[in-house]
Amino acid sequence: MDRTHLLSDQDEAHPGPSCPAGSYADPNTVAKDGATAPPADMMPVVPGYESLGPYVIPPSDFGPTQPQAPSRAPERRFDIPAITEELAQEAFIKYASSKCCYSSKPAKEMVFTDLQSLNTYRYRLETFTESRTTEWDSEPYNGQVVDGFGVAPGPWSIPVPIPSLFQDCQKAVRVPHTSTVKGCHSCLNLGRSACRRCVNSGRTQCAFCGGMGRTASNRCSPCHGSGMTRCHSCGGVGSITCTTCKGQGKLLCFIKLKITWKNNVYVAVIDKGSGFPVELLDRISGEKLLTDMAPMVYPVVSFPDSSVNAESESAVREHQAQFATTCRILQQVCFLSWKGLQRLPHV
């Protein structure tokens, strides 16, 4: 039975460490979520970057066309291994000898009347792609140079070195000539924000007496009977340094280009009725029949088993349709491996 598995390496999100039970969690500490720039309607419109956001930018709009597969199938010869009667008998004897209660005599005296090959093939296609997205980002403005003059290059015109092939990776770079200085939207240009713990009052309820001012029949010493103590988060000031602008009151805003390299994997297992669990095939050491790497690989077309040819063509077509319009295909590699089993109907 033919079974096809479509796999795609996905980036897993790992939650950050949480505060242990009973520990002090500062409510003023807020995890950075996405870009820190002011809202988009407060930012200038940069030609070529009118639509920013998480959607990938089609490479056909800016960069070179996708690589093309060869116009004709490359010359390939396949040497499919075969298990002889001698090898089958040797394996049978070795298996019987490994069992304490089995006799190897039947295996040594066996006579073959029929030996059927049950070949199982595994086709794997990896497509290494690059995608790009853009968004506004910022950093505290400390008087650094503002690169806001000139024409901003297109998203796919910015050269970014390609990392190791077939390994997931992400990188962010600043788009030239898109910088501008804006007032901090988080603190309204003040450089300080209201303390969330004490709500700008500088004092919080005494943790020792629960705000009662007394413990049993005695006056509470930490709060001197007032039921309130100085806020530990802001030191009693009622405000804290703005975490967005780091107290500067201004932000250097710029367009950030995010590049994602991803290895997309397609695996097809062609099993010719061996009955062997497909999920266990990876534990068997097979023999590689084909390895091909190119910017765009050509499907297998001359393999003796037509099912392998069909699966290979389906994989190549599916990846090209899935990624050609949204990503830039940088490289492809395919593997074809053989894992043979034998059936002995009569011995």
Side-chain angles (χ1 to χ4, degrees):
M1 178 177 64
D2 294 351
R3 300 186 182 181
T4 302
H5 308 276
L6 178 60
L7 310 177
S8 182
D9 299 342
Q10 300 291 337
D11 298 326
E12 297 182 356
H14 300 281
S18 57
C19 296
S23 67
Y24 169 73
D26 191 344
N28 294 309
T29 303
V30 181
K32 182 178 179 180
D33 185 13
T36 60
D41 56 1
M42 298 176 57
M43 306 305 297
V45 176
V46 179
Y49 293 86
E50 290 82 5
S51 300
L52 304 180
Y55 303 104
V56 295
I57 304 167
S60 59
D61 293 351
F62 300 95
T65 58
Q66 298 286 2
Q68 299 297 320
S71 58
R72 54 183 297 181
E75 294 290 336
R76 290 168 176 166
R77 296 186 60 184
F78 299 97
D79 185 14
I80 303 176
I83 298 179
T84 63
E85 293 183 1
E86 291 75 15
L87 288 176
Q89 187 173 25
E90 181 181 346
F92 198 4
I93 295 173
K94 183 177 180 180
Y95 175 78
S97 302
S98 66
K99 304 296 182 180
C100 62
C101 300
Y102 286 15
S103 172
S104 60
K105 183 178 180 180
K108 295 177 181 179
E109 298 178 352
M110 67 189 299
V111 177
F112 290 87
T113 59
D114 190 13
L115 183 63
Q116 299 178 2
S117 296
L118 301 175
N119 294 321
T120 299
Y121 304 102
R122 185 173 184 266
Y123 179 83
R124 178 184 177 95
L125 174 65
E126 299 183 19
T127 301
F128 188 57
T129 60
E130 175 184 332
S131 61
R132 298 190 175 194
T133 60
T134 53
E135 64 180 13
W136 280 106
D137 202 354
S138 68
E139 62 184 28
Y141 179 63
N142 300 307
Q144 58 266 49
V145 176
V146 181
D147 180 16
F149 299 97
V151 179
W156 282 100
S157 301
I158 301 174
V160 181
I162 300 174
S164 301
L165 292 176
F166 305 108
Q167 293 185 14
D168 291 356
C169 183
Q170 279 192 333
K171 188 175 183 179
V173 298
R174 187 176 304 188
V175 177
H177 314 315
T178 61
S179 298
T180 182
V181 177
K182 294 288 184 179
C184 180
H185 57 289
S186 297
C187 63
L188 302 179
N189 310 348
L190 298 176
R192 299 189 67 83
S193 302
C195 177
R196 298 187 180 187
R197 184 171 182 83
C198 66
V199 197
N200 213 26
S201 68
R203 298 176 65 80
T204 57
Q205 186 183 77
C206 178
F208 193 76
C209 66
M212 301 298 294
R214 304 185 65 84
T215 56
S217 58
N218 300 320
R219 189 178 71 166
C220 178
S221 298
C223 66
H224 304 289
S226 66
M228 303 292 289
T229 57
R230 186 176 63 175
C231 178
H232 295 290
S233 293
C234 63
V237 179
S239 63
I240 60 170
T241 300
C242 178
T243 57
T244 301
C245 66
K246 307 300 181 185
Q248 299 300 317
K250 293 182 179 181
L251 296 173
L252 177 63
C253 303
F254 52 87
I255 294 179
K256 178 174 65 177
L257 175 67
K258 297 175 64 176
I259 306 99
T260 301
W261 292 277
K262 190 174 184 62
N263 190 35
N264 306 275
V265 183
Y266 180 108
V267 177
V269 177
I270 300 96
D271 177 25
K272 293 300 180 182
S274 67
F276 194 84
V278 175
E279 60 272 12
L280 299 180
L281 285 174
D282 285 338
R283 302 183 185 180
I284 303 176
S285 59
E287 183 171 337
K288 284 188 177 180
L289 304 178
L290 169 69
T291 299
D292 186 17
M293 185 169 68
M296 186 75 73
V297 299
Y298 201 91
V300 178
V301 295
S302 57
F303 196 74
D305 191 327
S306 60
S307 299
V308 173
N309 298 329
E311 287 292 356
S312 173
E313 183 177 2
S314 176
V316 172
R317 287 183 180 275
E318 184 166 325
H319 269 202
Q320 187 171 7
Q322 184 176 358
F323 305 118
T325 58
T326 59
C327 310
R328 177 178 290 174
I329 298 177
L330 300 175
Q331 197 79 359
Q332 286 186 318
V333 63
C334 67
F335 306 94
L336 178 61
S337 58
W338 167 87
K339 298 178 182 182
L341 299 174
Q342 299 293 319
R343 176 180 289 168
L344 308 176
H346 306 287
V347 177

